[in-house]
Amino acid sequence: MPLNIVRNDITKMKVDAIVNAANPSLLGGGGVDGAIHRAAGPELLEECRGLGGCETGSAKITGAYRLPCKYVIHTVGPVWHGGLLGERKLLSSCYRESLNLARDAGCESVAFPLISAGAYGYPRDRALDVAVETIGAFLRDHEMTVYLVVFDRASFRIGERRFQAIESYIDDHYVDLRLDKNRRVQSVGFPPTPAPMAYPQECAAPGDLREALDMIDESFSEMLLRKIDEKGMTDAQCYKKANIDRKLFSKIRSDRLYKPSKPTALAFAIALELPLEEARELLEKAGFALSHSSKFDIIVEYFIRQGNYNIYEINEALFAFDQSLLGN
Ligand code: AR6
């Protein structure tokens, strides 16, 4: 998945580069900085001494020593002063500069902590927004796998107003499910309604029938490629918007009978901005349905109904509610 939010200790990430939320001296500190230096060993500090510090919003790269990655990219986030001192721009620059260094070093995978969201006091949800937006913009032009490593999922959701609407949507739909069950129970005892007969005059003409049968035979991959064309998108526009990497897309493209996972199939429905019914059709082709007994499904349905097809925002919400993310 090009952008993935995970819960982990960043020093354990097996990626090409991890990013350190450092201070301008680059000589170590607490938080993630302390953890990275401890895990890398004293050679990291030795190398950092020769770098001459780093300005806020910039980044520098070093070796990784005893860490399971190849490089450490040190960046200095802004201290939060209320948001009126250009903090957002500086924070965004941290992500961009780090990604540029990673690209120049030939990295294919990079893991970031939530820069500035600890000792530097940047509000967590806003820090996450800046991270997701800046990394998302970078990934539109580059092939890379980026992990946002969040240490503590529980505190992630609490107090975040934007997730409250989703919370009540989930509640409402669980309620609906119970009501539906009741309705079914109440209808027992009524004579069953006979199924409508298919009269010959209602049958499709042979030409239409062939077309209809062709549609039934259409595989997931064929439907996807057809819809990409109908939307006037390029393949790359579509898989990037779906948070899917090029390799997986090529597999789907070349294998007519490819069976994607549900998060992959839904990611394409989001990238294509399909309304709910069409999203269901695409899912069906992969053998799945949207169900009201799954939080994952209800959250995705919520965003589709809102007309919000921003996959990164959807993934932030899925992460907050402990669900799988969309993409591969
Ligand atoms: N893995 C992933 N995330 C972590 C880890 C870890 N091992 N440890 C902490 N975090 P902070 P800042 C999260 O304070 O706000 C240092 O002293 C943490 O929960 O490390 O940019 C530097 O030397 C938080 O969400 O960095 C600077 O002086 C995020 O990492 C100053 O702190 C960043 O928290 C920089 O402050």
Side-chain angles (χ1 to χ4, degrees), residues 3-283:
L3 174 56
N4 205 338
I5 311 174
V6 296
R7 181 168 177 260
N8 204 349
D9 173 348
I10 203 165
T11 63
K12 305 280 191 291
M13 294 292 294
K14 293 189 178 70
V15 285
D16 291 335
I18 64 169
V19 177
N20 180 18
N23 61 59
S25 77
L26 296 188
L27 298 180
V32 74
D33 196 3
I36 288 175
H37 275 275
R38 272 193 303 281
E43 296 91 339
L44 179 61
L45 185 59
E46 269 317 301
E47 186 177 352
C48 284
R49 280 190 214 287
L51 295 177
C54 181
E55 281 176 22
T56 303
S58 294
K60 295 201 173 169
I61 190 165
T62 65
Y65 305 97
R66 293 171 214 176
L67 286 162
C69 52
K70 293 186 207 152
Y71 304 102
V72 178
I73 295 169
H74 307 261
T75 187
V76 183
V79 175
W80 178 257
H81 289 290
L84 298 175
L85 295 179
E87 290 95 327
R88 189 183 170 93
K89 212 167 154 201
L90 287 166
L91 186 56
S92 178
S93 161
C94 288
Y95 286 97
R96 228 179 1 261
E97 295 280 311
S98 301
L99 287 165
N100 286 338
L101 281 179
R103 177 204 54 208
D104 294 347
C107 296
E108 290 179 359
S109 54
V110 182
F112 282 92
L114 271 185
I115 299 161
S116 285
Y120 280 180
Y122 211 106
R124 238 177 132 72
D125 53 336
R126 297 196 206 183
L128 181 75
D129 279 348
V130 177
V132 168
E133 196 182 299
T134 314
I135 296 167
F138 179 86
L139 289 177
R140 276 197 284 279
D141 305 320
H142 302 89
E143 301 285 340
M144 205 186 267
T145 301
V146 180
Y147 296 89
L148 257 179
V149 183
V150 175
F151 217 30
D152 167 14
R153 194 199 298 256
S155 69
F156 194 77
R157 183 159 38 135
I158 293 165
E160 290 201 26
R161 228 175 300 135
R162 66 184 156 154
F163 293 138
Q164 282 166 11
I166 300 173
E167 189 110 53
S168 39
Y169 189 82
I170 292 172
D171 283 350
D172 284 353
H173 287 76
Y174 275 126
V175 169
D176 277 355
L177 189 70
R178 282 197 293 276
L179 284 180
D180 281 352
K181 272 190 197 144
N182 290 340
R183 258 182 238 131
R184 228 172 290 139
V185 170
Q186 280 162 12
S187 69
V188 174
F190 285 100
T193 322
M197 296 273 290
Y199 292 103
Q201 65 265 34
E202 286 175 9
C203 284
D208 293 344
L209 181 62
R210 216 171 300 124
E211 217 168 82
L213 287 173
D214 281 351
M215 295 288 264
I216 291 172
D217 280 346
E218 191 179 38
S219 68
F220 172 83
S221 147
E222 287 166 340
M223 183 183 267
L224 172 66
L225 297 174
R226 172 171 63 82
K227 284 190 183 282
I228 292 175
D229 288 345
E230 282 170 9
K231 296 269 170 185
M233 291 173 101
T234 64
D235 289 353
Q237 278 169 341
C238 182
Y239 70 71
K240 285 188 172 169
K241 217 169 147 210
N243 202 29
I244 301 279
D245 64 38
R246 191 180 44 193
K247 275 190 214 142
L248 177 63
F249 185 80
S250 309
K251 253 194 225 164
I252 299 174
R253 189 175 230 312
S254 58
D255 178 359
R256 174 183 173 264
L257 296 176
Y258 187 89
K259 281 272 176 260
S261 69
K262 191 169 178 181
T264 297
L266 263 178
F268 281 116
I270 295 297
L272 290 163
E273 304 198 356
L274 300 183
L276 208 50
E277 269 323 299
E278 285 185 48
R280 284 187 207 280
E281 278 169 24
L282 185 65
L283 263 190

